[in-house]
Amino acid sequence: MHASAKSLHEILRQAEAYPTHRLIFLGDYFDYGQELPEVLDTFLSLNRITTFLIGNHEFEFLNFYQRYGNDERKQMKILNHFQIGMDHLHWIQNELLFSYENHSAFFSHAGIDDRKNLKEQSQNDLLYSGFRENLDHVTKKYIIQGHIPGKTIRKYGNHIFVDTGCGIGGKLSAFVYPEMKVLSASLD
């Protein structure tokens, strides 16, 4: 969603039609948009069953932040640059997962490496994979991912791409699973 609070709020309003569903966010909350603090505040205030996955943008932010070790002045400068506070930082450090799996689907930011089974996937695979085809040779579960933007949500066999380019000229979309419905916000 790349720091696009308006689009996030629009999708959350549409998701109210599915009150018992777990909300699974696929990462890339940072960069491009100007509303990161509002996006993170919205996440912190959600009163639903949620799972938040880490995207490559959050992973790179955390690596950058941690590079400064104990230099508090530089760390605060980084937080100020992104207009986020310590509560946001602690949430990012403690709440983001690399993947989520249920009985019929596997969710990660960037899908999986198609040469490995689900248990063998590395953090790098889950953050940066570029495989763009059917994955039924790896698993019968659906693989649901973001990371690779397209104009619409795309499905290749059991591989579903949800990123529709929010923050880079596209829109924010959500995939309602298992109903296989698409929710879409206006263009950002």
Side-chain angles (χ1 to χ4, degrees):
M1 78 197 42
H2 288 298
S4 300
K6 179 183 173 203
S7 294
L8 172 61
H9 293 164
E10 191 174 334
I11 289 292
L12 288 172
R13 277 190 296 278
Q14 293 176 41
E16 289 172 3
Y18 305 92
T20 62
H21 282 53
R22 173 183 295 271
L23 299 177
I24 301 172
F25 296 91
L26 298 174
D28 279 0
Y29 316 120
F30 273 68
D31 296 332
Y32 307 126
Q34 302 299 313
E35 303 164 330
L36 178 61
E38 189 176 346
V39 165
L40 297 179
D41 287 340
T42 299
F43 289 161
L44 289 166
S45 69
L46 283 175
N47 204 12
R48 287 190 57 171
I49 298 170
T50 55
T51 297
F52 298 95
L53 302 181
I54 189 168
N56 58 301
H57 291 257
E58 293 77 44
F59 187 75
E60 291 162 9
F61 163 79
L62 287 172
N63 285 337
F64 181 71
Y65 182 82
Q66 292 165 354
R67 235 181 277 158
Y68 287 99
N70 294 323
D71 188 336
E72 192 173 309
R73 185 182 64 74
K74 286 182 180 176
Q75 288 178 337
M76 289 310 295
K77 195 172 185 179
I78 293 167
L79 295 181
N80 289 336
H81 171 78
F82 286 98
Q83 301 175 342
I84 61 175
M86 291 303 292
D87 56 336
H88 298 126
L89 175 65
H90 292 301
W91 180 85
I92 294 164
Q93 291 172 321
N94 297 310
E95 297 299 322
L96 303 183
L97 305 173
F98 281 92
S99 64
Y100 173 78
E101 185 174 4
N102 63 26
H103 68 284
S104 60
F106 183 91
F107 302 81
S108 73
H109 173 65
I112 63 172
D113 182 328
D114 78 305
R115 299 164 294 183
K116 301 176 184 176
N117 70 42
L118 293 182
K119 302 282 187 240
E120 295 174 322
Q121 300 298 315
S122 70
Q123 290 179 353
N124 193 64
D125 297 332
L126 301 172
L127 291 172
Y128 298 102
S129 178
F131 192 74
R132 299 172 190 235
E133 297 172 23
N134 189 0
L135 286 163
D136 66 0
H137 64 285
V138 176
T139 181
K140 298 304 175 201
K141 290 185 176 194
Y142 284 103
I143 303 296
I144 301 173
Q145 74 167 82
H147 188 60
I148 300 174
K151 292 184 189 287
T152 62
I153 290 179
R154 289 119 28 240
K155 183 177 181 289
Y156 302 98
N158 67 334
H159 196 180
I160 301 167
F161 294 85
V162 179
D163 189 335
T164 53
C166 185
I168 57 171
K171 60 187 173 189
L172 183 62
S173 295
F175 184 69
V176 182
Y177 177 81
E179 289 85 350
M180 307 294 212
K181 294 190 182 225
V182 173
L183 308 178
S184 292
S186 308
L187 290 177
D188 67 331

